[in-house]
Amino acid sequence: MQEFSVIGKRLPKVEGYDKVTGMATYVADIKLPHMLYGKVLRSPIPHGKILHVDTEKAKKVPGVKAVLTGEDTPKIKWGAFIDDMHVLAFDNVRFVGDEVAAVAAVDESAAEEAIDLIKVDYEELPTLFDVFEAMKSDAPKIHEKGNVALHQKFVKGDFEGGMKEAAYVFEEDFTTPIVWHAYLETMGAIATYSLSGKLSIWLSTQTLFMARQRIARALGMRIADIRLIQPSVGGGFGGKSCDEPTAMICGLLAKKTGRPVRLINTREEEFQASRPRVAANIHLKMGFRKDGTIAFKDARTVNDNGAYSAKAPATTGVTLTRIDTLYRFKSIRGEAILVYTNKVPTGAFRGFGNPPMHFAVEQMMDMAAKEIGLDPTEIRLRNATQVGDVSIHGWRVNSCALSDSIRKAAELMNWKEERAHKKAHQGLGMGCFIHVSGKRHFGNYDGSSAVVKVNEDGKLTIFSGEGEIGQGAFTVLSQIAAEELGVPAKDVEINVGDTDTSTYCHGAYASRLTYIAGNAVKAAVADAKRQLFKMASEMLEAIPEDLVSKDAKIFVKGDPSKALTVSEVARACLYREGGFPVIGRGTWDPPSELQTKDTRDGNTSGAYSFGTQMCKVEVDPETGKVKVLSFIAAHDSGKVINPMLAEGQIEGALQQGIGYALCEEMAFEDGKVMNPNFADYKILSADDMPEKIKIHFVETCVEPTGPFGAKGLGEPGLVATSPAIANAICDAVGVRIKGLPMTPEKILKAIKEKNKAAR
Amino acid sequence: MKRKILLNINDEDYEVEIDPNRLLVDVIREDIGLTGTKKGCEIGVCGACTVLMDGKLVSSCLMLAIYAAGKKITTIEGLFKNGELHPLQKAFLDYGSFQCGFCTPGMVLASKAILEENPHPTEHEIREGLNGNLCRCTGYAKVVEAIQAVAGK
């Protein structure tokens, strides 16, 4: 086992001092001289044609400096995968919350007054809120090309043969709702525009460079004429990926007025018009052989795109296929349909389309286990993917401790004993998951790059454009850099995300930063280390290959008595004739492949994470209310760089996952979000969370391609949470709930139906 | 009509001239420039705007600034004294009790109020005490640990 000095340590977050003292600066905390305040007018109707926009009264409000409508925008269509949005609507509005006009004024009240005075005449158009209605061939069209945004179908392996082999067959429908990220900081931007043509935006985002590309495209600008700077970001969870036009509107207002403009969403605007999790309608059929191995899987999902395409074209493919590498599927059939409706556009949310299919398949695994007479752990062990497997989609599994995670979770839960002796109305349930560490789709590149500067005092400054949104990327990347050069973690600093000072980076999504950016930073530091060792070898009269570095010193292996500090070597590089500052550059693109469009073949990620979650619940049979008593998460994330932060990722994901399971749902009426605030959209508080939570990292199998063996862990914490709870509810009261959230109403109804049938 | 009021924040007096309808959170953030106090939900549910007023927890997004005149207000900036972190701030760092940090100022102040009311709370009492402060990152487990660590000292 490799000995580490920084990797695996529970170090506090590098930006922590600023966060505990209130010094951390989020976008709404920034105030620039002569700054204006922006506001957006949104569509109050779900579908309509804009006949006329009257801005005359708004323009006359004292203090108003600009009023923009769709006519003032470049009218370029943009989007992450399908170009179907405009910065401001000028022809049709397609959901309640669609951006129609914007104002910049000297203060917020003037901006609000002006917004109220903009008069828009609409011709109302027929509305569609249900995917099955919207996909009918005679349904009114939301977009010119029709209401089906994406349709994928495939058959793989010997599907007919698999059907014949099945001794047990199950067929069910499952539904999952639109849920919202609920990051505590609403999205916002501050933009300044220089007449030289440079647009600078401080943006609450998790994908700086991709945001820059989209802004450039939507505004018809050159990419490098836009500078994006990432302040502290108050959470993202996929929602702050610039899939909606806040940054573009703010930029246009700054351009029009020549003054800095700050545009911050209200909480209600966030609910109405950000990009929440895609809702799925899954029809699932699975067959099992007598021994419990899976004979076939036949899945169809119809997902709700909402009014425009953000990330749902990608999340929908993930809903259909990602789970196909969790078990050793040999014959599968799949179909995914993504349908436009007149609701809020859906997008990326932690798990990226993966949780809905886990909710379905992991319940069916339990249904099969019960029928066949196997323990839920045993049926999964008999099907679990193993190291070295190449899955039915061609995914290469270099590391996998799924089976170990099942056994470890069972041990920590005391599974068999607890199940045998549980009290009335208590139940235990489990769920397994697979997730990725990066996903190749944008430009057939899933890499990362970094530059590291070695300062004269031996301290490293890392320039990475991946950014930090609270998940701990900066700390983990600093630890990787420190370990690579053999310096203490405090000798590493990382710059704030800034597109002008760092090289291209995709940003935070797909649990990719530890694995991919970690390797890029490691490579950059290795490059700097080579330069330092070359100089040190001259100074120590040794060959570079014989040198090692430890505790910020460089010396000949086995002879630490004649050591040079990193600082001495860095200074020696610089202060001499023809000297140079030590600058390392690193780049790394994982060994993955672009998936084929229809059949979704190809090794989508360089590494896959696995794990098992188990929980114990108590269901009140009188009210249907579920209390989660304890939770175990045994995850395979490879080598864990910082266990304290890693535990925090899982604990936080559980808060979102338990909420997804039991109470979270955006409620719509005629396309309007009816619970657009934290009083009506319930997220779990401290008292709602189980007191007994145990996070365990199964480090029995490290990832050979990962930095020091690490792989991604940000998203997986909620992927198997909802089926684990569903299975526990079933174990407790004998009812299977197939629609999320599993509210007391649904559970009570199911209990009553069950009792009625028994009579 | 603007009114001139005196606000005592973190033992310093600030004279501000404000419209009577201004919220305390806005005056603290925009007029005085103490941006550690955050705006999260605007309806007093999330706790990001939590401040202490005469030692009691207050949602500054629900209170008019004029009502705070003459009271002693503590914001997160007031906990860092004589170059030293408050023990709770230190514990939040050491136990990894925050991620994005947006709820953290309110969460630290709520923790302080919990311990001032009850220096040795049970886990259940801690969790009840945190109910007015929402966090979407941590799942609260490490916040509870930090408070327990400080209470145990």
Side-chain angles (χ1 to χ4, degrees), chain A residues 591-611:
Chain A
S592 56
E593 297 156 0
L594 206 56
Q595 285 183 308
T596 54
K597 261 207 168 114
D598 295 326
T599 54
R600 313 292 287 185
D601 286 324
N603 187 41
T604 192
S605 181
Y608 302 96
S609 53
F610 297 87

Side-chain angles (χ1 to χ4, degrees), chain A residues 16 47 87 130 189 264 269 279 299 382 425 447 463 545 595 603 606 611 641 723 729 737 747:
Chain A
H47 198 193
V87 172
D130 178 78
I264 308 291
E269 285 179 295
R382 289 186 188 186
H425 309 126
F463 295 86
E545 290 72 25
Q595 285 183 308
N603 187 41
I641 307 286
I729 291 170
I737 311 297
I747 294 168

Side-chain angles (χ1 to χ4, degrees), chain A residues 199-256:
Chain A
L199 177 63
S200 301
I201 308 179
W202 285 259
L203 185 64
S204 177
T205 183
Q206 58 191 90
T207 50
L208 277 171
F209 282 85
M210 263 199 278
R212 186 170 75 154
Q213 277 182 357
R214 294 206 189 110
I215 296 164
R217 168 156 180 74
L219 300 187
M221 293 178 69
R222 287 185 66 171
I223 288 171
D225 282 346
I226 298 168
R227 178 186 187 187
L228 287 196
I229 305 157
Q230 184 188 48
S232 291
V233 174
F237 316 117
K240 292 181 177 169
S241 311
C242 199
D243 290 317
E244 48 68 64
T246 303
M248 289 80 163
I249 294 170
C250 192
L252 280 180
L253 288 170
K255 211 168 166 179
K256 175 113 180 196

Side-chain angles (χ1 to χ4, degrees), chain A residues 13 19-20 26 28-29 31 180-181 262 267 470 647-649 651-652 655-656 664 684-687, chain B residues 29-30 36 38 40 42 76 89 93-95 98-102 123 127 131 135-138 140 142:
Chain A
K13 295 189 69 169
K19 287 184 172 170
V20 298
Y26 301 80
D29 301 335
K31 207 171 180 178
W180 192 59
H181 315 83
R262 186 165 89 190
R267 184 60 61 183
E647 285 161 17
Q649 283 298 299
E651 286 159 359
Q655 188 261 13
Q656 299 175 3
E664 290 186 32
L684 302 186
S685 63
D687 201 23
Chain B
R29 286 176 51 80
E30 301 284 336
K38 304 300 181 197
E42 305 147 47
I76 188 66
Q89 291 174 311
L93 260 178
D94 292 343
Y95 287 85
F98 58 91
Q99 290 174 30
C100 85
F102 200 79
E123 176 167 352
R127 286 178 181 271
N131 266 351
C135 171
R136 191 60 157 172
C137 297
T138 64
Y140 310 98
K142 293 193 171 0

Side-chain angles (χ1 to χ4, degrees), chain A residues 180-369:
Chain A
W180 192 59
H181 315 83
Y183 35 73
L184 263 280
E185 179 213 26
T186 61
M187 280 190 277
I190 296 185
T192 65
Y193 184 73
S194 153
L195 287 179
S196 66
K198 188 99 181 182
L199 177 63
S200 301
I201 308 179
W202 285 259
L203 185 64
S204 177
T205 183
Q206 58 191 90
T207 50
L208 277 171
F209 282 85
M210 263 199 278
R212 186 170 75 154
Q213 277 182 357
R214 294 206 189 110
I215 296 164
R217 168 156 180 74
L219 300 187
M221 293 178 69
R222 287 185 66 171
I223 288 171
D225 282 346
I226 298 168
R227 178 186 187 187
L228 287 196
I229 305 157
Q230 184 188 48
S232 291
V233 174
F237 316 117
K240 292 181 177 169
S241 311
C242 199
D243 290 317
E244 48 68 64
T246 303
M248 289 80 163
I249 294 170
C250 192
L252 280 180
L253 288 170
K255 211 168 166 179
K256 175 113 180 196
T257 58
R259 288 171 66 168
V261 176
R262 186 165 89 190
L263 176 63
I264 308 291
N265 280 354
T266 63
R267 184 60 61 183
E268 184 168 342
E269 285 179 295
E270 287 279 333
F271 272 98
Q272 299 285 9
S274 57
R275 298 295 183 260
R277 187 190 300 287
V278 69
N281 299 276
I282 293 170
H283 183 80
L284 179 67
K285 191 172 174 183
M286 283 175 78
F288 294 79
R289 298 182 193 90
K290 279 188 179 145
D291 64 357
T293 54
I294 299 163
F296 75 91
K297 174 168 91 58
D298 190 8
R300 180 187 195 237
T301 186
V302 181
N303 287 12
D304 192 342
N305 200 25
Y308 300 101
S309 304
K311 295 279 166 50
T315 55
T316 297
V318 167
T319 303
L320 184 64
T321 58
R322 190 163 289 172
I323 205 164
D324 296 345
T325 304
L326 177 62
Y327 300 122
R328 291 174 148 174
F329 293 100
K330 295 291 179 235
S331 55
I332 56 172
R333 188 162 70 178
E335 183 176 14
I337 306 170
L338 179 66
V339 185
Y340 285 109
T341 60
N342 293 116
K343 296 212 290 275
V344 61
T346 55
F349 181 175
R350 196 178 213 162
F352 205 72
N354 204 13
M357 192 59 83
H358 276 74
F359 177 65
V361 169
E362 282 299 281
Q363 287 208 68
M364 206 159 268
M365 293 300 285
D366 261 38
M367 293 162 72

Side-chain angles (χ1 to χ4, degrees), chain A residues 263-501:
Chain A
L263 176 63
I264 308 291
N265 280 354
T266 63
R267 184 60 61 183
E268 184 168 342
E269 285 179 295
E270 287 279 333
F271 272 98
Q272 299 285 9
S274 57
R275 298 295 183 260
R277 187 190 300 287
V278 69
N281 299 276
I282 293 170
H283 183 80
L284 179 67
K285 191 172 174 183
M286 283 175 78
F288 294 79
R289 298 182 193 90
K290 279 188 179 145
D291 64 357
T293 54
I294 299 163
F296 75 91
K297 174 168 91 58
D298 190 8
R300 180 187 195 237
T301 186
V302 181
N303 287 12
D304 192 342
N305 200 25
Y308 300 101
S309 304
K311 295 279 166 50
T315 55
T316 297
V318 167
T319 303
L320 184 64
T321 58
R322 190 163 289 172
I323 205 164
D324 296 345
T325 304
L326 177 62
Y327 300 122
R328 291 174 148 174
F329 293 100
K330 295 291 179 235
S331 55
I332 56 172
R333 188 162 70 178
E335 183 176 14
I337 306 170
L338 179 66
V339 185
Y340 285 109
T341 60
N342 293 116
K343 296 212 290 275
V344 61
T346 55
F349 181 175
R350 196 178 213 162
F352 205 72
N354 204 13
M357 192 59 83
H358 276 74
F359 177 65
V361 169
E362 282 299 281
Q363 287 208 68
M364 206 159 268
M365 293 300 285
D366 261 38
M367 293 162 72
K370 192 170 181 198
E371 191 77 18
I372 300 167
L374 290 172
D375 187 274
T377 56
E378 184 56 33
I379 194 168
R380 288 172 173 85
L381 285 167
R382 289 186 188 186
N383 288 287
T385 288
Q386 305 293 330
V387 181
D389 281 5
V390 177
S391 78
I392 194 153
H393 292 287
W395 296 14
R396 296 189 293 273
V397 180
N398 297 322
S399 66
C400 173
L402 175 57
S403 295
D404 285 345
S405 80
I406 295 171
R407 287 187 279 262
K408 190 69 197 181
E411 177 198 321
L412 293 169
M413 179 54 99
N414 200 9
W415 174 257
K416 291 216 161 124
E417 191 74 6
E418 286 276 325
R419 264 167 69 89
H421 299 106
K422 66 189 172 72
K423 291 182 191 145
H425 309 126
Q426 289 189 349
L428 280 84
M430 70 177 293
C432 293
F433 70 83
I434 177 174
H435 208 69
V436 294
S437 311
K439 179 182 191 299
R440 182 173 297 267
H441 41 202
F442 295 107
N444 196 9
Y445 172 69
D446 193 24
S448 181
S449 56
V451 170
V452 60
K453 181 175 88 168
V454 184
N455 294 282
E456 311 90 276
D457 62 353
K459 218 172 161 174
L460 308 188
T461 310
I462 297 168
F463 295 86
S464 162
E466 299 288 8
E468 163 76 45
I469 55 168
Q471 82 280 45
F474 278 4
T475 309
V476 164
L477 296 179
S478 299
Q479 286 180 258
I480 288 170
E483 188 72 46
E484 181 65 21
L485 186 57
V487 299
K490 66 172 177 52
D491 280 9
V492 182
E493 250 184 359
I494 189 156
N495 74 317
V496 298
D498 182 338
T499 55
D500 267 11
T501 58

